[in-house]
């Protein structure tokens, strides 16, 4: 699986959009971009995934650049409960494959 | 629809002992994976089970072993515990070849003293 690079930490004001970047310059054509988050004392939670088109669900939006070398997870209206570590993972879309977690981005949403 | 449940939530063991952690997968999920998460780090893949057989393994020694049962629940066994085995152990379930993400449990916090 391709390696990802994320900022170690970010702050966001409550109610504002949180934009979390991820670089994956060595991504292969058959690798998807997945985002998970881990709230303190809980297991990771699946957020969203995509291949090359932008995706949106009830939790977030995923914007993938045209060359697929980077992506951005957008939480449109961050709340205090969105404070968590966010992991960007790229992998072949096969549930038989493991998830390779990096260090993630620690997002702190402040009032 | 129930999620992934793990037991126990916390456990303290002595170095050299053996431990068994348990996981009940989400309804409808037939694949179970186990991860180890040391403090301040991302989860690391231990192994995955599908149809009661190991279906992939990470860089962990043989003293880490597992089982999957016909109802898709699973156990993680660790023999000869070492201090460095102290971590949060996470179980995740999914459908084989599903296009969607894994569902994780809240984990078992193991402390080896």
């Amino acid at each position: 699986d391709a390696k990802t690079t994320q900022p170690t930490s970010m702050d966001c004001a409550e109610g504002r959009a949180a934009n979390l970047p991820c670089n994956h310059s060595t991504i292969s054509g058959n690798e998807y971009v997945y985002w998970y988050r881990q709230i303190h004392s809980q297991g990771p939670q699946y957020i969203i995934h995509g291949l090359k088109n932008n995706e949106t669900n009830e939790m977030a939006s995923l914007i993938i650049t045209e060359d697929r070398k980077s992506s951005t997870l957008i939480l449109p209206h961050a709340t205090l409960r969105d404070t968590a570590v966010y992991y960007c993972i790229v992998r072949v879309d096969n549930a038989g494959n493991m998830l390779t977690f990096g260090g993630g981005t620690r997002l702190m949403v402040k009032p | 629809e129930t999620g992934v449940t793990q037991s126990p939530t916390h456990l303290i063991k002595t170095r050299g002992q053996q431990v068994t952690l348990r996981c009940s997968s989400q309804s409808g999920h037939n694949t179970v994976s186990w991860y180890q998460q040391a403090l301040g780090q991302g989860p690391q893949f231990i192994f995955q089970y599908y149809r009661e057989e190991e279906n992939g393994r990470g860089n962990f020694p043989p003293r880490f072993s597992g089982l999957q049962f016909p109802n898709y629940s699973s156990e993680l066994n660790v023999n000869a515990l070492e201090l460095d085995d102290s971590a949060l152990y996470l179980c995740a379930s999914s459908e084989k070849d599903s296009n969607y993400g894994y569902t994780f449990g809240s984990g078992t916090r193991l402390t080896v003293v």
Side-chain angles (χ1 to χ4, degrees), chain A residues 8 40 69 80 90:
Chain A
T8 304
H40 182 63
K69 292 184 177 182
L80 299 179
V90 293

Side-chain angles (χ1 to χ4, degrees), chain B residues 35-112:
Chain B
Y35 288 78
Q36 180 195 66
Q37 186 173 25
L39 202 60
Q41 298 181 21
Q44 300 298 306
F45 175 74
I46 303 174
F47 45 55
Q48 182 182 84
Y49 277 82
Y50 171 65
R51 290 187 175 176
E52 303 176 50
E53 292 192 359
E54 191 176 287
N55 185 43
R57 188 179 184 93
N59 188 27
F60 281 81
R63 59 189 185 84
F64 285 78
S65 63
L67 286 172
Q68 186 182 30
F69 300 99
N71 65 355
Y72 306 130
S73 66
S74 177
E75 286 183 355
L76 165 66
N77 299 290
V78 186
N79 294 323
L81 283 167
E82 301 176 0
L83 297 180
D84 285 348
D85 296 332
S86 295
L88 180 68
Y89 288 84
L90 295 160
C91 171
S93 72
S94 67
E95 292 181 49
K96 188 76 167 73
D97 297 331
S98 168
N99 199 29
Y100 294 95
Y102 290 84
T103 301
F104 282 82
S106 294
T108 294
R109 172 73 61 188
L110 173 65
T111 302
V112 182

